Amino acid sequence: MKLSAVIIGHNSWRYLEKNLASLRFLYGDPQAEIIYVDNASADATLRETRRLYPQVTVLESRKNTGISVARNRGIRAASGEYVWLLDSDTEASETSLAAMLSFMDAHPEAGLCGCKMYGQDGRVQVSCRRFPTVGGKLKAAFRIAVRRLRGKASPPGAPERYYDLDAARPFEVDYVIGACQLFRRTAQEKTGLLDEHIFYGPEDADFCLRMRQAGYKVFYLPQVSMLHAYQRVSSRRVFSKINGYHLLGLVHYFWKHRNRTIP
């Protein structure tokens, strides 16, 4: 099998409905499969997914296990040469997938790639980034706190653009966000699965860093794109359970990689 698309969600039917509809070009393809991992949804997600999309393999969890555990469950169940991780709030593009697969086939040094993503506001999202640093995260937290004290909304994504997101050709990056990551299975087997100590947070950066340490490159394809609604659950309230998980994930990430060399 060529491709396994792995999607995770939690109470996200209003997004997942559009996501699964956008993947219709894969239905009936003998070289593709779609796996949905549900993190204990209490809405209509499971019922409607099974009713409207019987082609989709549904893996159900009795509790919300977090991003890494859920994605790893999907990866373990996947049979494809390539695994395509997608958030439930994305809307896929057949053109983008074809371009990413073609690129990966032509570049064996590439372990993982992602493409350009637009938000619902039509703006290009910062979906390829430098690896996070303690100083950078502290500055970002301070900036968000100041804006909220002034009654202003937090800006989506990172405040700085480290890469030319409108470049004409694919280029190598530190990491691409987990909302859309296409990786070759052989690279993942050498790298390992996502770090299950990270419930929500920098699991995407950690995965790409370890993939680079395993000898592979990570690329961003700016010439093709897809939609990402970008729920950004950690931005809704400063003091929340999900923000606590995010902070714990960052602490784990920085401690884990404190003495490691970044390629």
Side-chain angles (χ1 to χ4, degrees):
M1 183 174 291
K2 182 75 172 182
L3 177 73
S4 297
V6 175
I7 310 154
I8 66 168
H10 170 69
N11 291 333
S12 56
W13 176 242
R14 64 185 178 127
Y15 295 107
L16 183 65
E17 181 179 16
K18 296 177 181 178
N19 172 284
L20 294 176
S22 73
L23 289 169
R24 288 187 183 278
F25 63 91
L26 291 179
Y27 299 148
D29 185 345
Q31 289 300 311
E33 64 179 351
I34 300 173
I35 300 170
Y36 171 66
V37 184
D38 186 80
N39 259 336
S41 292
D43 63 357
T45 299
L46 285 167
R47 181 185 71 248
E48 294 303 298
T49 299
R50 288 173 170 143
R51 182 177 71 87
L52 297 173
Y53 299 97
Q55 311 94 326
V56 175
T57 298
V58 177
L59 303 179
E60 182 179 354
S61 297
R62 294 185 177 180
K63 66 177 183 178
N64 189 344
T65 59
I67 292 176
S68 295
V69 172
R71 283 186 174 147
N72 283 345
R73 188 177 179 191
I75 292 169
R76 290 189 184 98
S79 303
E81 175 187 352
Y82 291 103
V83 178
W84 190 19
L85 297 182
L86 290 171
D87 276 356
S88 59
D89 57 1
T90 57
E91 291 182 40
S93 161
E94 184 174 3
T95 301
S96 295
L97 175 60
M100 288 190 289
L101 286 172
S102 178
F103 179 85
M104 295 293 285
D105 282 340
H107 295 81
E109 75 278 11
L112 182 151
C113 75
C115 70
K116 182 183 292 184
M117 287 190 284
Y118 286 92
Q120 292 175 312
D121 58 3
R123 296 182 180 181
V124 178
Q125 297 176 349
V126 187
S127 53
C128 62
R129 303 175 181 177
R130 298 287 186 185
F131 290 123
T133 64
V134 174
K137 287 297 181 181
L138 289 175
K139 289 179 182 178
F142 176 77
R143 185 163 36 244
I144 291 172
V146 169
R147 289 181 66 88
R148 289 188 175 179
L149 286 173
R150 293 175 177 175
K152 297 180 180 180
S154 300
E160 302 87 8
R161 289 193 172 188
Y162 296 103
Y163 300 104
D164 179 5
L165 302 183
D166 294 319
R169 298 180 179 179
F171 56 88
E172 190 177 354
V173 298
D174 279 0
Y175 79 101
V176 295
I177 65 172
C180 174
Q181 291 183 336
L182 177 73
F183 58 82
R184 63 180 79 247
R185 191 57 178 265
T186 52
Q188 177 270 309
E189 289 172 346
K190 187 175 179 181
T191 300
L193 293 166
L194 276 68
D195 189 335
E196 296 189 356
H197 290 93
I198 303 175
F199 184 95
Y200 173 84
E203 76 290 329
D204 45 10
D206 173 81
F207 186 57
C208 290
L209 192 158
R210 289 187 290 115
M211 185 160 287
R212 290 181 55 173
Q213 290 173 331
Y216 292 94
K217 295 181 179 181
V218 175
F219 286 90
Y220 175 78
L221 279 62
Q223 75 275 24
V224 289
S225 64
M226 55 189 288
L227 179 70
H228 181 208
Y230 204 60
Q231 297 178 68
R232 193 67 176 172
V233 293
S234 62
S235 296
R236 294 174 186 169
R237 292 177 310 185
V238 175
F239 302 106
S240 65
K241 188 174 183 179
I242 196 65
N243 275 334
Y245 281 130
H246 195 183
L247 178 59
L248 289 173
L250 285 170
V251 170
H252 173 77
Y253 172 88
F254 289 131
W255 179 256
K256 174 181 178 180
H257 296 295
R258 66 193 182 282
N259 295 321
R260 295 191 181 185
T261 301
I262 298 175

